[in-house]
Amino acid sequence: MSPNRSTPRKVVIVGAGAVGATFAYALAQSGAANQITLIDNNEKLAEGQVADLSHGLPYYPSVSIESGTAKDYGDAQVIVITAGSAQRSGETRLDLLKRNASIIEGIMDDIIEQQSRAIVVVVTNPVDVLTQVALRHSRWSRGHIFGSGTVLDSARFRYFISQEMGIDVKSVHAYILGEHGDSELPAWSLTNLGGVSIQQYVASNGLQEQWPKRSQEIFEDVKNSAYHIIDYKGATNFAVGQALVRIVQAILRDSNSVLTVSVMLKGEYGLEDICLSVPCIVSKDGIERVLVANLSEAEQQALHHSASVLKESMAGLQE
Ligand code: NAD
């Protein structure tokens, strides 16, 4: 059997919960996809979400929205995996990780069985470890399977800097690197406001004195965002939905966008055999290239620390 040809701009979303459904809604509004298919173990949930989304069709750009089955992987151009299960009471993080890893492996088996040529974007947490699980299990290339990584965290970072400086968030260029989680790091050395480095901006606006404390607070706000939002409303879904639209648009529109997705490193930044986020060029073939940025010594060390935290999780998974 020859591999399936993909249907242009068909996006399959696995997991129709808070993240999957919000992403579907944002993607429909973006006009980037021709076909959006939702798959969930809970078939009624998928059908309910599809019905609700479809009733907005008179007001979206043209798009078909359907519930589907594993067969839909066959001709998908992009598959976005948000399927997962929440932590059960008394369950450790490692138990949860093992359960989500087996969900991802099951989905990858189905994708492979359908001879799919889709680009696979993993979103389920812990996203870096599960991206690595999907890669190992499928033996696909690192360009074809990657994680949503810190695209969301980088958006949060840009937002908090823009609020602090009173500058349009679109003119703030800033990246969070490493794990999508507690060991992530802010790449201050790459941060600029319309081309003016953050250090220069701080100096020329007389902000040097408070900056060491404020910059740390901004990063803490980024890192703790998910905890706060989950505490208040039970899940994060809107910003991650937009971040996923950004990633999927880069693939569907072949735009060579620089995004901090979670990629398997092969020597870049002195790191090997670990998935974490660094700036990558994303196009119709997935990750085209990993960019090697000129990080400060401290940032380079923090990236290595993040990699060692992730390697521990990977080792735990294999026990
Ligand atoms: P949710 O519980 O609302 O939805 C998950 C859905 O997955 C459920 O509807 C469930 O039925 C479905 N599911 C479980 N196993 C399945 C399988 N084998 N096949 C198909 N569907 C299956 O959870 P959510 O709030 O939507 O979050 C989903 C995941 O996304 C979580 O792991 C969450 O931590 C993660 N997340 C990641 C980011 C990021 O930036 N990477 C941001 C937010 C949330």
Side-chain angles (χ1 to χ4, degrees):
M1 209 165 37
S2 61
N4 267 310
R5 288 187 71 79
S6 57
T7 300
R9 305 205 289 144
K10 173 173 174 178
V11 179
V12 174
I13 303 171
V14 198
V19 173
T22 310
F23 166 49
Y25 182 56
L27 185 64
Q29 288 181 322
S30 76
N34 279 344
Q35 192 176 330
I36 300 172
T37 304
L38 279 168
I39 299 178
D40 200 292
N41 267 359
N42 179 345
E43 288 175 21
K44 275 193 172 165
L45 175 69
E47 277 174 30
Q49 301 283 31
V50 165
D52 196 8
L53 285 160
S54 301
H55 299 168
L57 278 171
Y59 312 116
Y60 302 132
S62 288
V63 58
S64 134
I65 306 173
E66 287 161 9
S67 61
T69 65
K71 284 214 166 63
D72 285 285
Y73 297 142
D75 66 341
Q77 188 180 347
V78 186
I79 299 169
V80 178
I81 305 178
T82 75
S85 56
Q87 204 155 357
R88 290 176 185 155
S89 100
E91 186 178 51
T92 65
R93 283 180 79 153
L94 187 58
D95 290 337
L96 175 69
L97 169 57
K98 286 183 174 164
R99 213 143 50 79
N100 277 346
S102 85
I103 288 175
I104 299 294
E105 286 175 351
I107 293 167
M108 287 311 304
D109 284 337
D110 289 343
I111 292 172
I112 293 162
E113 195 180 322
Q114 295 302 323
Q115 308 250 315
S116 176
R117 299 167 76 167
I119 304 297
V120 175
V121 181
V122 179
V123 185
T124 309
N125 276 322
V127 64
D128 303 287
V129 175
L130 295 180
T131 301
Q132 190 147 354
V133 165
L135 274 165
R136 282 202 180 164
H137 194 71
S138 62
R139 297 172 187 270
W140 283 15
S141 73
R142 68 170 177 172
H144 255 78
I145 301 182
F146 58 89
S148 57
T150 57
V151 175
L152 169 60
D153 316 61
S154 296
R156 288 175 173 148
F157 192 34
R158 292 171 64 191
Y159 168 77
F160 286 119
I161 294 170
S162 86
Q163 292 289 298
E164 178 75 13
M165 301 303 184
I167 287 202
D168 182 357
V169 67
K170 294 193 170 58
S171 302
V172 177
H173 306 284
Y175 301 106
I176 296 287
L177 307 182
E179 179 193 16
H180 168 65
D182 293 343
S183 73
E184 66 189 20
L185 59 129
W188 287 112
S189 65
L190 307 180
T191 303
N192 72 79
L193 311 177
V196 178
S197 76
I198 190 87
Q199 293 82 2
Q200 194 185 335
Y201 188 89
V202 164
S204 56
N205 286 277
L207 303 170
Q208 300 99 313
E209 207 171 306
Q210 66 258 42
W211 187 240
K213 183 165 176 283
R214 281 304 294 138
S215 58
Q216 187 55 33
E217 286 167 353
I218 287 171
F219 174 51
E220 292 297 325
D221 283 346
V222 172
K223 209 165 51 164
N224 295 324
S225 285
Y227 295 124
H228 285 152
I229 296 168
I230 289 169
D231 190 29
Y232 278 34
K233 57 172 262 192
T236 63
N237 57 319
F238 292 116
V240 64
Q242 291 296 345
L244 296 175
V245 170
R246 183 73 188 87
I247 296 168
V248 169
Q249 269 181 345
I251 300 167
L252 299 180
R253 295 188 170 149
D254 195 20
S255 63
N256 289 322
S257 301
V258 176
L259 297 167
T260 51
V261 288
S262 185
V263 60
M264 167 67 79
L265 292 179
K266 292 184 176 174
E268 298 91 351
Y269 298 90
L271 292 166
E272 196 91 45
D273 197 30
I274 194 74
C275 289
L276 49 68
S277 290
V278 294
C280 294
I281 297 178
V282 180
S283 72
K284 70 173 178 4
D285 298 319
I287 294 180
E288 284 277 353
R289 199 147 51 88
V290 175
L291 293 183
V292 179
N294 198 8
L295 300 179
S296 71
E297 191 56 41
E299 289 163 354
Q300 182 75 17
Q301 274 177 19
L303 192 68
H304 277 244
H305 168 69
S306 195
S308 66
V309 167
L310 286 165
K311 283 197 171 178
E312 261 177 49
S313 293
M314 280 306 294
L317 197 53
Q318 277 143 22
E319 275 165 15

